[in-house]
Structures are given as structure tokens and as C-alpha cells.
Amino acid sequence: MPAPQVLDPHDLLHRLTDASAAMVTDLERLVRAESPSVDGDSLSACRAVLAEIGTRLLGAAPTVLPNDPGNGRPGGLLWRLGPADTQPVLLVGHFDTVFPKGTLKHRPFLVDGDRATGPGVFDMKAGLIQGLYAVAWLRELTGEDPAVAFLVTADEEIGSPAGGRIVTEWARQSRAALVLEGAADGGGLKHARKGWSFYDIRVKGIAAHAGLEPDKGCNALSDLARIIVALESLAAQDDRVTVTPTLASAGTTQNTVPDRAHVTVDVRVPDVRTQQEIDAELHRVVAEVARLPFEITGGPNRPPLEEASATDLLETARTCLDELGLAWPGSAAVGGISDGNLCAAAGTPTLDGLGAVGGGPHADHEWADVTRMPERAALVALMVERLGKRAAR
């Protein structure tokens, strides 16, 4: 590479805007590589596509991360650029999606005007493409590799059972984490996320014939229903705390008193203290209400990403947008979780929502605004460059 050059923000945005068509082409390739979290073969195929795109853009092949030791599910990818003795800026994303294999048959990748649609286009394949182009053009225009760790996991949508440990390890080594998840409404950045806990509650009853001798049975479903109603008391009326039963099952046949019943419960909280309090209260309520034997498994999975973790990076983002001549999109606290929660819990300054502008995550109408991909890539690139200069000083 030539000698390092001074980065001109307007030139950066201009170059990325000129690369818009290429960005959309790469986005189509990545979306067409379906990658449901539970399908190992599809994950491997998508990982290969992402590795090829990233190698082409960054001039280096990634490290392929180890498979999940629990089930052999493929691991993610890591590009580590810049001097090895320099704290990197961590760029975080995931390539797994919630959509089953075959979704493309009825929801193919399409671009209509400024909107691209297709499974995973907003959550979060457009963000990955933007991040790769951001680093690629930063390298091109400065003539040197920025100090970056570009980490992409393969299991975020199912709670990061393997990838979460790696995210935490790299966050602890990094001076800041920029999370390439989709933006808040209208393109807003995400300065806070709720914490996430989830539980499995199982009740054991006694089966009996529902018509001949129901009195000889113990109805696990009825007991579980009482528990679910009681758990509603844990939720806050202002939605600061949400307690949501999600999946449930019970019984064996329509004429048998259910001898087993099961529900999963999703809990979202604004801070660590509340997460601990709700965990204790949930166990207490179930123990008080249950009349039959029960089992509770699960608990806190993601601590909250609290606003203090993002304060300085929000100011950096505002300054960078001013230099790029772009409007401030605002920022928001949101209920969804990401691997950004883990970065903040590691004590690393963390800003989320730097990925695609769009909407409809996990829904059939999911979309990303392709006209705004260059500006989001430029923001990420300039933030990486400014954070690098700050570290050097």
C-alpha cells in the first residue's frame, strides 16, 4: 500500500456512493445464501459466500472460528486487521437468520426503488455488507489497514450459545464496539437495549381419562395456566419490564387429563438490578402458585446494554455525521437484544444500530433501504478512523 493519507470524509462518502451498485450485488449474493440458525449445512454455505466477499474487499482471508462443541454447528468468521499490538475497534455482526430454508422460494431477493427485500436483508446482512465496504474503502483511502476486528457470528438469533463467548473475549480486547445490527426507526442509532432472560417452566401432573375418571388425574395444564396468569403481575405497566409467555404445549390426547405442560417465558428488563429482581420474583411466584411438581430452567441470557456504555460513542457518531454532511438520525433505547449487550457487559464502550436503515426484522415485510447503505458505511468507516486517531493520541 502507498504511504498513509489523510482521510477526506466527503471523498469517502462519494466513493462509497459510487460503489452502491456493487454493494447491492454483494447483498443479493449474501441474502440468496439462506442461513437459518439451526441448519448447519446452510450456515456453512453462507459463511463461504461471506468469506469470499470479505476476502475480496479486505485483501485478507478471515479466520474461521471453531464449530460449536455442543452440536457441531458452524462457527463464524474473524478478520483482524492492523497492528497486532494495537487495541482494535470491534465491528460485530451475525450471518444467521430466523427464516427457514426455502423462504427464498416465496420471498426472493428483490429491489423495488429504494427498498431491498428478502430473508435477513435487514437483520442483518445489509449491515455486514456495509461494514465490509466501510473497512475496504478506509483501507483504500488511507493507504493502511485500520486496527479493526471484524467479528461475525453464526448463532446470535438463538442466543449465541457459542458465539457469545467469542464476542465477549474480543470486546474485552477492544477499545470500542460498533454493532452492525439494523437501525432504529428512521435510521436512529441504538444507545440502549433491554436485557433478556428466558425460562422454561414444566409442570408434572397425573394422566386420567377425561370422561370416565377425571377426578383421578392431576391436570398439569390447569396448574400451568394459573402460573401464567400469576406471572403477569411481574410486568411493568409502562413496558419497562415485559414478561411474555411465548411457546406452550400440554397433554397427549384430547380425551386425557394432561400429565405434563410446558411454557417458555420471555422477559425484558432495563437494567441489571431489575433483571436480578425479576429472576428472583419469577421463581417465588411459581413456587407460591403451583399445586403440582414443577421445574424451572433458564434465566438471564443477555444483560442490558445501558445508555452509559454508548454516551461517548454517540458524540463521536454525531461529529462524524457532521463531517460527512449528513443529518443526525437520533438514537433510541429498544427492547430487542443483540451481541452488543455482551460487548457492553464486558465493559467496552458500545454503540448499536449502525447497520441498515429499514424495518420489519423477523417479519415477511423485512426491508432495507439500499440508497442509504453508502452513508451508513461511511459513518462506520469514519468512526473507526476517528477512534483510531484518538487511541494513537
Side-chain angles (χ1 to χ4, degrees):
M1 281 188 170
Q5 303 294 315
V6 176
L7 183 64
D8 179 342
H10 294 285
D11 186 36
L12 170 67
L13 180 57
H14 176 73
R15 298 293 188 98
L16 283 163
T17 301
D18 283 348
S20 293
M23 293 174 77
V24 174
T25 296
D26 283 330
L27 176 59
E28 178 175 7
R29 287 189 62 202
L30 197 57
V31 172
R32 288 178 61 84
E34 293 182 284
S35 50
S37 305
V38 296
D39 186 329
D41 290 341
S42 294
L43 288 172
S44 294
C46 181
R47 183 177 66 184
V49 172
L50 180 61
E52 189 281 324
I53 293 171
T55 300
R56 188 190 80 235
L57 290 171
L58 304 185
T63 298
V64 177
L65 301 176
N67 291 353
D68 186 334
N71 53 33
R73 184 184 296 112
L77 299 172
L78 172 69
W79 282 269
R80 176 62 171 97
L81 304 180
D85 59 350
T86 302
Q87 261 194 316
V89 174
L90 179 63
L91 300 181
V92 185
H94 65 89
F95 63 85
D96 63 316
T97 76
V98 300
F99 300 101
K101 185 73 175 292
T103 301
L104 274 173
K105 293 178 182 177
H106 60 89
R107 284 183 53 216
F109 179 86
L110 294 172
V111 178
D112 184 6
D114 59 357
R115 290 195 174 202
T117 54
V121 67
F122 176 71
D123 186 13
M124 58 167 293
K125 293 184 176 182
L128 297 179
I129 296 299
Q130 291 167 193
L132 290 171
Y133 273 78
V135 177
W137 279 102
L138 185 56
R139 293 177 70 246
E140 178 72 19
L141 295 177
T142 62
E144 60 182 353
D145 283 335
V148 163
F150 197 120
L151 175 61
V152 190
T153 64
D155 58 1
E156 191 273 346
E157 294 291 5
I158 54 173
S160 304
R165 175 184 57 79
I166 299 170
V167 170
T168 298
E169 288 176 358
W170 275 98
R172 288 173 176 157
Q173 299 175 45
S174 302
R175 58 177 173 264
L178 306 181
V179 185
L180 302 173
E181 292 275 3
D185 290 346
L189 306 177
K190 295 176 179 177
H191 62 253
R193 287 183 179 272
K194 287 184 177 181
W196 181 37
S197 304
F198 60 87
Y199 302 86
D200 286 295
I201 303 173
R202 298 178 184 274
V203 176
K204 182 175 176 56
I206 298 175
H209 195 292
L212 294 176
E213 45 188 16
D215 56 304
K216 293 186 178 181
C218 292
N219 196 317
L221 177 56
S222 295
D223 206 46
L224 184 62
R226 283 189 290 270
I227 292 170
I228 291 171
V229 171
L231 290 179
E232 292 179 354
S233 66
L234 301 180
Q237 292 185 350
D238 61 2
D239 286 337
R240 289 180 67 254
V241 176
T242 60
V243 180
T244 308
T246 52
L247 297 173
S249 62
T252 53
T253 68
Q254 64 181 10
N255 60 350
T256 302
V257 174
D259 65 347
R260 65 184 72 95
H262 163 250
V263 68
T264 61
V265 181
D266 180 293
V267 177
R268 308 290 169 128
V269 296
D271 53 65
V272 172
R273 179 179 176 181
T274 303
Q275 190 170 39
Q276 294 169 343
E277 291 174 347
I278 294 296
D279 181 68
E281 281 295 290
L282 183 142
H283 283 82
R284 181 190 64 79
V285 167
V286 174
E288 286 185 356
V289 173
R291 301 175 186 174
L292 297 174
F294 67 88
E295 179 187 28
I296 303 174
T297 57
N301 175 272
R302 291 283 201 288
L305 192 173
E306 299 187 42
E307 186 170 355
S309 295
T311 301
D312 290 344
L313 291 176
L314 278 173
E315 288 306 309
T316 301
R318 189 187 293 273
T319 299
C320 289
L321 286 165
D322 285 343
E323 293 184 43
L324 291 164
L326 298 172
W328 172 246
S331 68
V334 298
I337 57 93
S338 80
D339 282 335
N341 294 64
L342 300 176
C343 297
T348 305
T350 302
L351 184 59
D352 210 324
L354 286 155
V357 177
H362 298 194
D364 285 347
H365 63 278
E366 182 181 18
W367 63 279
D369 186 338
V370 295
T371 66
R372 299 188 67 178
M373 292 180 71
E375 68 181 59
R376 302 296 282 200
L379 172 59
V380 170
L382 194 56
M383 288 189 71
V384 169
E385 194 265 353
R386 295 295 184 256
L387 290 168
K389 282 187 175 179
R390 188 180 303 167
R393 290 199 298 270

